[in-house]
Amino acid sequence: MDKFRKEFPVLRKGIYANTAVYGPLYDSLLDWRQEHDLDFLLSGSDMRGEALKVISDTRSAVSTFFNCKRENVALVNNFSSGLNVLLEGLDVKKKILLVEDDYPSLNWSFEKRGYVIEYVKLSEHVEEEIQEKIENNKIDVLALSLVQWLDGFSIDLEFLKKIKILYPHVLIIADGTQFCGSTNFDFNNSGIDVLGASAYKWLLAGYGNGFMLFSDQVENEFDLNTIGFNAADGNFD
């Protein structure tokens, strides 16, 4: 344990208890990042192949870690930017179900785009209320944090799987930022259609790192115009 503690300089000052906001940087990660940047500084475009390999290897690692198809993994700067890109391709006529006072980056992204939105209050009966809203209000999209940022409330993952079985047309979008890394998680068998996370918190990936995981259903529900060379995997066709 002492060996691991020494990796985190911030722990020399006391107990660090704010990983929910920002995961502490550690020595070996900083060393890797500095060496990587130094290679860019000295090699310029000759480093391009290595940089693309890092991105490719990272997608593969995320795919394996969370059991999601590699081609259904996107690497993003953080959850907020990934979700906002995604919602640019979601029909504004969709009816959305949110949890009141959920993480601002989640709720605001829907609220600022003019969707018709229903809400449930966070309580010990939230799962029952979610199901009731879906049943009676023709909900198209359920979006929520797997772990609530205000009080640490954790949604029942088996409940989400049940919702997907009962209402397969409902897209389930989840913020996993306060969840991923806390327990084993099998995305392909979760019933969730989109899971995004800022990986610089509990996953300790360092700033500027996040990911999005997608089910096969998502491709038919979104019409995205955002594209770039790496997003196309270098395929000019």
Side-chain angles (χ1 to χ4, degrees):
M1 184 59 69
D2 287 342
K3 177 182 177 182
F4 288 112
R5 283 186 63 86
K6 289 177 181 177
E7 279 277 306
F8 297 87
V10 70
L11 297 183
R12 298 165 195 164
K13 300 186 295 183
I15 296 173
Y16 187 82
N18 212 14
T19 307
V21 173
Y22 191 92
L25 201 62
Y26 51 98
D27 284 336
S28 55
L29 176 58
L30 182 62
D31 290 343
W32 184 91
R33 294 180 73 132
Q34 289 179 327
E35 183 177 341
H36 190 68
D37 285 347
L38 182 60
D39 287 340
F40 265 121
L41 179 67
L42 298 177
S43 303
S45 62
D46 289 343
M47 265 290 290
R48 181 177 175 278
E50 177 61 25
L52 292 177
K53 182 177 183 303
V54 169
I55 293 172
S56 178
D57 289 349
T58 302
R59 287 185 72 199
S60 296
V62 172
S63 166
T64 301
F65 194 77
F66 293 108
N67 189 29
C68 177
K69 290 182 180 179
R70 185 185 182 280
E71 61 268 27
N72 289 0
V73 174
L75 303 180
V76 294
N77 292 333
N78 52 50
F79 171 76
S80 302
S81 60
L83 180 63
N84 276 281
V85 168
L86 184 67
L87 294 188
E88 285 300 299
L90 183 64
D91 190 343
V92 294
K93 296 178 182 178
K94 297 286 187 182
K95 197 168 188 179
I96 314 298
L97 180 60
L98 303 175
V99 176
E100 285 186 8
D101 299 319
D102 206 332
Y103 192 60
S105 292
L106 176 64
N107 282 7
W108 289 351
S109 298
F110 288 94
E111 291 165 349
K112 294 294 183 181
R113 286 177 166 81
Y115 291 103
V116 176
I117 299 175
E118 295 280 341
Y119 294 91
V120 293
K121 290 185 177 181
L122 188 62
S123 71
E124 67 271 26
H125 305 297
V126 67
E127 283 96 355
E128 292 92 332
E129 292 181 13
I130 287 173
Q131 185 168 353
E132 184 178 331
K133 285 278 188 179
I134 292 174
E135 180 71 36
N136 298 323
N137 292 273
K138 296 182 178 179
I139 299 297
D140 299 302
V141 178
L142 167 64
L144 77 175
S145 297
L146 297 184
V147 173
Q148 290 294 314
W149 71 300
L150 289 176
D151 58 11
F153 177 88
S154 180
I155 197 77
D156 184 353
L157 295 181
E158 289 300 316
F159 166 74
L160 293 182
K161 193 182 298 186
K162 170 187 169 185
I163 287 295
K164 194 62 184 179
I165 293 172
L166 293 175
Y167 313 99
H169 70 282
V170 174
L171 280 175
I172 301 177
I173 299 177
D175 179 359
T177 299
Q178 303 295 350
F179 167 79
C180 292
S182 65
T183 187
N184 291 334
F185 178 66
D186 184 340
F187 176 77
N188 279 344
N189 294 298
S190 69
I192 296 171
D193 293 292
V194 179
L195 182 134
S198 295
Y200 54 83
K201 297 188 179 185
W202 297 100
L203 290 170
L204 304 180
Y207 53 85
N209 287 290
F211 58 86
M212 304 286 284
L213 310 178
F214 305 101
S215 71
D216 290 334
Q217 182 180 347
V218 169
E219 186 174 1
N220 300 319
E221 300 289 345
F222 292 85
D223 184 18
L224 291 178
N225 294 316
T226 303
I227 190 66
F229 182 78
N230 190 58
D233 205 20
N235 186 341
F236 287 103
D237 294 328

